[in-house]
Amino acid sequence: MTELDQRAPMSFTRRVNLWLSKFSSRATAKAYSDDLGLPHDDRDWEPSSPSRRGRTRGTFRKGVAFFPWCAARGLDPLSTVGLEQLQQWLHATSQAGLAKATRAHMLTAVREFYTAMQRQGIISVNPAALVDTNAAGVTGLDEDDQGLDLDVAQTRQLLTLARTSSAARRGAQYRDRDLAVLLVLAVTGARASEVTGLDLADYRRANPSSKATLRLHGKGGRMRTAELDAHVADDVDAWIRTRAAMLDRRVPAQPGQVSSERQPLFCTRTGARLSPGYLGDIMQRLARQEGSPLAGIADQLHPHALRAAFVTSALDAGVPIEEVAAAVGHTHIATTLRYDRRRKRRKTGAFRAVSGLVAEDHSDEAEEPGQSSSVAARLAAHDAEQLPGQTAVPVPGYDPVEPAGPVEGWPGAHFR
């Protein structure tokens, strides 16, 4: 029996697992489990991996995941947690140094958990729905947001590194797989979990010269279809052939047309599905190669950088934001805007436009020697019309007339 079961009703873990097992996307269930802090050994919907046996797992979200935080304080999430406790928990996540985005999706996981419990009639009020996200500091953008900006040129450099990387040490099969998986990330803007969750049956290509489609399983069980150009599909086909040879399996007659058995599209040499975190390892390993132009940012590379680059590049190309949001699986456009790295660019047309409204260029006006400039003359005329007491703009050669005295009813005349 876990510490969580000792401090909460016996049915608690069972209820949580029943809720998580209903998600069609295992990646979503896993993300919620991690954010909530449900122990791996208590996840009856997630098969244990032999490769993980005997290995120490890290602490969930720096020790402030919701369930462990409640357990450490003797709180029952279903009966003794209200708005005050949630505010204390959010403060603890901030004190732990978690990024704003991380804290935001942790709160989302808690809110979804309580929503599910409310629908089942276990609780009457969703305490997480009462949280003021602005006051809690989990909305908006961090002023010191250091999200990595990848432009189109850098994305191409990364893909070139994948295509030309030496296969002598790790084998050609890894090169084909790494190239295919990075291409899919770059041209679809998909989440890392969506790409690693792809099955062979999710890939469709009618013939070797046509485009291909990918069926992506997004959050909340929502599915969307991404289109791959023929040259991208060629590289995915090359990986599928390599995959078949590596696993000693027959290549389907038509790429993507396979049996109903779930087979991961991207896998290890043993056929195991890749983890989302491993995609970041691929990117960093490629960027660290000798002579790589991305060596300086290798440690910062992660799959979400390609997702942000997709959003930014699409918006730069003039694609309506509604279409971009649909392409990456965002329900709200506000979420898409968080991935738009254009907000960091200080070069905008706003400065130039406003400057043109408030300042005129008279550099072509000829001025005779001994006369005040046209700008100074206009300022002088403007100052002469000011109400007494207003501070005039000093203009060389112009001596404004001092008012005779305070003007009744105008307090500004008393403050020089």
Side-chain angles (χ1 to χ4, degrees), residues 98-117:
L98 295 176
K100 181 181 290 186
T102 301
R103 298 171 60 224
H105 63 65
M106 288 173 69
L107 177 59
T108 297
V110 173
R111 184 167 54 243
E112 291 300 314
F113 161 71
Y114 279 122
T115 297
M117 298 300 104

Side-chain angles (χ1 to χ4, degrees), residues 66 69-70 75-86 114 125 127:
F66 186 62
W69 184 87
C70 289
L75 298 173
D76 177 3
L78 295 179
S79 62
T80 57
V81 172
L83 177 59
E84 181 181 356
Q85 288 73 30
L86 280 173
Y114 279 122
V125 178

Side-chain angles (χ1 to χ4, degrees), residues 82 95 106 248 348 392:
Q95 292 297 107
M106 288 173 69
D248 194 22
T348 73

Side-chain angles (χ1 to χ4, degrees), residues 160-184:
T160 299
L161 289 169
R163 190 180 298 277
T164 60
S165 64
S166 173
R169 185 168 60 89
R170 303 183 72 246
Q173 66 268 27
Y174 292 103
R175 182 187 60 197
D176 292 343
R177 182 200 63 190
D178 295 353
L179 173 61
V181 76
L182 292 183
L183 275 169
V184 169

Side-chain angles (χ1 to χ4, degrees), residues 87-415:
Q87 290 173 331
Q88 293 172 358
W89 168 68
L90 285 169
H91 178 71
T93 63
S94 177
Q95 292 297 107
L98 295 176
K100 181 181 290 186
T102 301
R103 298 171 60 224
H105 63 65
M106 288 173 69
L107 177 59
T108 297
V110 173
R111 184 167 54 243
E112 291 300 314
F113 161 71
Y114 279 122
T115 297
M117 298 300 104
Q118 189 177 29
R119 288 172 178 170
Q120 296 176 37
I122 299 171
I123 59 174
S124 58
V125 178
N126 183 343
L130 304 176
V131 174
D132 184 338
T133 54
N134 288 321
V138 294
T139 57
L141 299 166
D142 288 315
E143 291 185 3
D144 59 346
D145 181 10
Q146 297 297 320
L148 180 64
D149 298 339
L150 283 181
D151 55 28
V152 173
Q154 290 173 316
T155 301
R156 286 174 177 167
Q157 289 170 350
L158 181 64
L159 296 175
T160 299
L161 289 169
R163 190 180 298 277
T164 60
S165 64
S166 173
R169 185 168 60 89
R170 303 183 72 246
Q173 66 268 27
Y174 292 103
R175 182 187 60 197
D176 292 343
R177 182 200 63 190
D178 295 353
L179 173 61
V181 76
L182 292 183
L183 275 169
V184 169
L185 281 170
V187 303
T188 66
R191 302 176 179 90
S193 59
E194 293 172 344
V195 173
T196 56
L198 286 169
D199 294 330
L200 276 171
D202 293 322
Y203 176 72
R204 294 286 188 274
R205 194 180 192 189
N207 57 71
S209 61
S210 67
K211 294 182 178 181
T213 59
L214 277 177
R215 184 175 55 193
L216 296 167
H217 302 264
K219 291 184 177 179
R222 294 186 295 270
M223 288 194 299
R224 66 187 190 278
T225 300
E227 190 175 81
L228 306 181
D229 284 342
H231 67 279
V232 176
D234 288 343
D235 286 311
V236 177
D237 283 355
W239 156 242
I240 290 177
R241 290 191 294 271
T242 300
R243 178 189 184 281
M246 181 176 67
L247 300 177
D248 194 22
R249 297 176 182 174
R250 180 177 61 85
V251 178
Q254 291 183 346
Q257 309 298 316
V258 297
S259 66
S260 58
E261 179 187 359
R262 291 195 64 182
Q263 301 179 47
L265 177 59
F266 299 110
C267 62
T268 66
R269 58 183 176 81
T270 63
R273 192 178 299 274
L274 298 183
S275 67
Y278 187 65
L279 303 190
D281 294 339
I282 292 174
M283 297 172 67
Q284 293 183 14
R285 186 185 69 252
L286 290 171
R288 291 192 187 103
Q289 293 182 103
E290 185 178 354
S292 166
L294 303 177
I297 59 173
D299 293 341
Q300 298 175 262
L301 287 173
H302 53 85
H304 249 53
L306 288 175
R307 184 166 167 82
F310 176 91
V311 170
T312 304
S313 299
L315 292 173
D316 266 339
V319 180
I321 192 169
E322 295 83 1
E323 295 183 17
V324 178
V328 296
H330 286 158
T331 304
H332 304 290
I333 290 177
T335 307
T336 309
L337 289 173
R338 296 191 63 178
Y339 287 81
D340 182 9
R341 296 305 184 190
R342 298 179 306 169
R343 61 184 167 79
K344 287 187 173 182
R345 302 176 191 165
R346 299 309 179 193
K347 294 181 180 180
T348 73
F351 303 114
R352 184 174 60 257
V354 174
S355 295
L357 293 174
V358 301
E360 300 176 82
D361 183 9
H362 295 274
S363 58
D364 57 343
E365 292 185 4
E367 297 178 359
E368 296 180 8
Q371 292 185 348
S372 61
S373 67
S374 58
V375 175
R378 283 197 300 275
L379 286 173
H382 173 72
D383 290 336
E385 296 175 358
Q386 291 187 107
L387 290 172
Q390 290 183 305
T391 303
V393 178
V395 179
Y398 169 63
D399 184 19
V401 179
E402 290 291 334
V407 176
E408 184 178 357
W410 182 251
H414 299 284
F415 301 93

